[in-house]
Amino acid sequence: GSAKFHLLRIAGMLAYISGLSKTREEKRSWMRALSQCCLPVLLVLCLSTTATADDPGTPITVDVFRGPVIASSRVLGLAGAYTAIAEGTQGSFLNPASLTNRYPYSVDWFDYDWNLDYMLLEPGADIDMFNTGDSGMSADEYRAFNAGVGLQFGKFGIGVSLNNDKFLVGGEGDKYQYGFDYGYVGLAYSFLDEQLLLGLGISTGALSLRDQDDKELVKWENSGLDLGLLWRPEEKSYRLGVSFRRPV
């Protein structure tokens, strides 16, 4: 854009100078310089800009929004700082080692845990989904839930978790259904008298956008590997948690 602007200024100056020329031969000489130098370069710039705008390979950025955070009151109360606590099926989203981390009251060889979290809004209420200060979405246009199950067999633990978010986006006319699905499967094992816990998991996510006729407009899927470690020394008042998660 700036290159075109400066080139047009140069062309205008050449045209102005040619207008000041006294003889016909001088005017022809200046106009010839204008046509041979400036116009071809301007044409190349225009074509290159058009090709870049229409190139399907040009990378774009998409801001993926999942809506309000849905989790247990304990995880929300800690603002997600749950990697070193890592207890229950809710902890598997943040640290896979939580699948074998037992509660203090868990003393049997076999134990289990489960969770079900959902978003319940007042029917007919307007909500500010995008935190813009405007209530542009009704409560019946949004739903979200988390569900998970974990099983523990001695020092070994396995678990699965699911997450789903759906809501409508758009103006007063056309509206589109946005959906985000997330799934997680993991296993973990404890060492050194349950002081060192290691976890491994696979997470997968899918994002979709559909129109009013339920026609799929956008579909994106990806998966990643999750690794987690939890160190909880006996008779100590601290824990150390480390988690690695590939973006999904």
Side-chain angles (χ1 to χ4, degrees), residues 68 71 73 107 113 148 178 195 203 208-209 229 232 248:
S73 58
V107 295
D113 187 37
Y178 169 94
Q195 294 184 90
S203 56
S208 63
L209 187 67
L229 178 148
R232 52 171 203 176
V248 175

Side-chain angles (χ1 to χ4, degrees), residues 6-230:
H6 292 301
L7 190 59
L8 289 174
R9 289 182 60 184
I10 296 174
M13 291 175 61
L14 291 175
Y16 177 74
I17 294 175
S18 66
L20 296 179
S21 301
K22 296 181 179 180
T23 64
R24 181 177 298 177
E25 192 64 28
E26 289 178 351
K27 290 183 179 181
R28 289 180 179 177
S29 177
W30 282 111
M31 293 303 296
R32 191 180 299 112
L34 175 64
S35 61
Q36 292 180 354
C37 297
C38 296
L39 294 182
V41 177
L42 182 61
L43 180 61
V44 171
L45 288 175
C46 292
L47 292 177
S48 63
T49 302
T50 303
T52 302
D54 296 336
D55 184 8
T58 302
I60 60 175
T61 300
V62 178
D63 186 9
V64 179
F65 177 74
R66 292 185 55 186
V69 178
I70 310 297
S72 69
S73 58
R74 191 178 185 190
V75 175
L76 291 178
L78 292 169
Y82 206 71
T83 303
I85 298 178
E87 292 179 348
T89 54
Q90 279 284 345
S92 63
F93 283 107
L94 302 170
N95 190 342
S98 67
L99 294 173
T100 190
N101 187 19
R102 291 176 175 262
Y103 291 107
Y105 51 80
S106 177
V107 295
D108 295 331
W109 180 82
F110 171 77
D111 206 344
Y112 67 93
D113 187 37
W114 63 277
N115 74 282
L116 178 62
D117 310 305
Y118 57 92
M119 189 73 168
L120 181 62
L121 301 173
E122 180 184 354
D126 292 333
I127 57 177
D128 183 10
M129 171 64 68
F130 302 101
N131 197 26
T132 60
D134 299 325
S135 56
M137 183 178 297
S138 61
D140 55 356
E141 295 175 339
Y142 174 80
R143 72 173 188 268
F145 75 90
N146 292 334
V149 175
L151 303 176
Q152 295 175 332
F153 307 89
K155 298 180 179 181
F156 181 75
I158 59 174
V160 57
S161 297
L162 301 173
N163 172 266
N164 176 266
D165 298 279
K166 289 188 184 300
F167 55 86
L168 298 180
V169 295
E172 297 180 356
D174 297 335
K175 288 197 173 184
Y176 303 90
Q177 185 184 71
Y178 169 94
F180 184 85
D181 299 293
Y182 179 84
Y184 174 83
V185 177
L187 53 90
Y189 194 82
S190 61
F191 303 87
L192 303 177
D193 293 330
E194 301 182 0
Q195 294 184 90
L196 177 63
L197 291 71
L198 300 178
L200 173 67
I202 298 177
S203 56
T204 179
L207 182 147
S208 63
L209 187 67
R210 297 177 177 272
D211 60 13
Q212 293 178 334
D213 298 326
D214 202 31
K215 179 181 178 181
E216 190 174 83
L217 304 176
V218 176
K219 181 70 173 182
W220 174 85
E221 296 177 336
N222 197 12
S223 59
L225 186 67
D226 301 344
L227 300 173
L229 178 148
L230 180 63

